[in-house]
Every structure is written in structure tokens, then in C-alpha cells.
Amino acid sequence: MKNIMAFSVSMAVLAVSILLAGCWNPFSPDTSTGEGFQYWTPVDSAYKVLENLEYAYVSRDIDHYMACFRDDFEFHLLEVDWDDYDGDGIVDEYWGIDLEEACHEQMFNSVSSIELTLSGNSQSPWTGDSTGRSLQLTRTFDLKVYTSENPPQGYRASGDALFICRQDSTGEWYIWQWWDQSEI
């Protein structure tokens, strides 16, 4: 049942990506597998967790990807993407760590390559945290997911995202909230 739910969620996310971006057929994809990336460890700055996220996407490394989050993670969806993702009869405006892992594990295992570019360097205290210890980092993203290499085909999504990062009990930074701020 869990595999069916993970597959269904993955297909829903893929369908949303298709609707938002349309089919994409680039002429010369970057087929690097992510080898040679140097992950930040320790993750002692907020920007480093975003760089690790980018590396994990490109290398399709679920373990490094999940290391960017903790159990309290929330992925906040655009209103058009709100749906009942966990099957509890309540429309979800965001999902947590379990669904994030299921979606990305399925995606990483079923595509031939991924390109992700996060652009920007803004970082400021998040106003939703009265302690001033959480940081907000706005990034422009360009995501290309290749379903085949020959001929190169896939899907593309781009837009803006807001990452709210904070430190865990060991002092390492992680992504606490990820807000999709793309324009449709």
C-alpha cells in the first residue's frame, strides 16, 4: 500500500510539473551523474544546506537529499496543487518529511538524469521567528528532469522558492520549510 501511495504521489507531482512546464525536449542535456560533488559537512551555514540539496538532486542521492531536512520539515504547495496527498480526506496545503522522501525516492529511481540550478544569494532573518535564529533564503530555481537521454526528453519547472532554514540541536543547518513561490 505504501508503494502504491508513493507511486501515486510521484505521478501527481510529475503531472503537476507537466501541466506547469509542458513537455520539454532539449538538444544537449547535461548528463553528469553528480560524481565529484563535495557535500558540505558540517553544514555550518544556511547556504550550504541549499548547495547540498542542489548536489543531491543532480546526483539523485536520496540519502544526501534527506540529510537536508529533519522530522519537522514542511513543503508548502501552491494553492493550485493543494490536494489530499495522504488520503485522510483533508486537503493538504503542505506535506511533511515522509511524503517528501517517497516522492523523491521514486523520482530519483525512475529518471535518467536531473539538472537543478538554484540562483540567488539573499539571506535574512525570517520574520516569523521572534528569536531571529531562522533564516529565509529566496532562490530562483531551474529544474530539468530527463526521462530519456536518447532522444533527450523530459520536463522543466522554474520559478522562485523560499527556504526557511534553522539549526538543529547539533548546530547544523537544515531546511525547515520550503515554500513554492512559482508563478503559474
Side-chain angles (χ1 to χ4, degrees), residues 7 40 157:
F7 180 76
W40 289 105

Side-chain angles (χ1 to χ4, degrees), residues 104-122:
H104 282 80
E105 187 169 37
Q106 177 69 27
M107 180 176 65
F108 289 173
N109 289 331
S110 63
V111 301
S112 42
S113 66
I114 298 174
E115 293 178 34
L116 173 64
T117 304
L118 297 176
S119 303
N121 60 7
S122 70

Side-chain angles (χ1 to χ4, degrees), residues 123-179:
Q123 177 175 304
S124 61
W126 181 51
T127 58
D129 179 359
S130 62
T131 68
R133 295 187 300 180
S134 297
L135 297 176
Q136 60 183 9
L137 293 85
T138 303
R139 297 293 185 265
T140 299
F141 69 89
D142 187 25
L143 174 65
K144 301 171 187 173
V145 178
Y146 296 90
T147 56
S148 69
E149 297 297 335
N150 195 10
Q153 293 183 347
Y155 306 96
R156 183 176 191 174
S158 59
D160 293 320
L162 173 65
F163 297 93
I164 308 298
C165 300
R166 61 183 180 184
Q167 291 177 296
D168 65 15
S169 61
T170 69
E172 291 216 16
W173 286 86
Y174 71 99
I175 300 168
W176 172 40
Q177 295 181 13
W178 180 346
W179 293 76

Side-chain angles (χ1 to χ4, degrees), residues 43-166:
V43 183
D44 55 4
S45 297
Y47 78 89
K48 291 179 180 179
V49 73
L50 296 186
E51 287 186 9
N52 282 354
L53 177 90
E54 194 172 356
Y55 298 157
Y57 252 94
V58 172
S59 62
R60 296 179 293 148
D61 184 327
I62 193 67
D63 293 328
H64 277 107
Y65 181 75
M66 294 309 297
C68 296
F69 312 108
R70 301 298 179 270
D71 289 340
D72 60 350
F73 172 73
E74 297 174 353
F75 180 82
H76 291 263
L77 302 151
L78 293 172
E79 187 173 355
V80 299
D81 297 328
W82 292 357
D83 202 349
D84 181 13
Y85 290 100
D86 56 11
D88 64 359
I90 300 170
V91 172
D92 299 309
E93 297 178 21
Y94 66 91
W95 62 54
I97 192 76
D98 293 337
L99 201 49
E100 185 71 11
E101 182 174 21
C103 289
H104 282 80
E105 187 169 37
Q106 177 69 27
M107 180 176 65
F108 289 173
N109 289 331
S110 63
V111 301
S112 42
S113 66
I114 298 174
E115 293 178 34
L116 173 64
T117 304
L118 297 176
S119 303
N121 60 7
S122 70
Q123 177 175 304
S124 61
W126 181 51
T127 58
D129 179 359
S130 62
T131 68
R133 295 187 300 180
S134 297
L135 297 176
Q136 60 183 9
L137 293 85
T138 303
R139 297 293 185 265
T140 299
F141 69 89
D142 187 25
L143 174 65
K144 301 171 187 173
V145 178
Y146 296 90
T147 56
S148 69
E149 297 297 335
N150 195 10
Q153 293 183 347
Y155 306 96
R156 183 176 191 174
S158 59
D160 293 320
L162 173 65
F163 297 93
I164 308 298
C165 300
R166 61 183 180 184

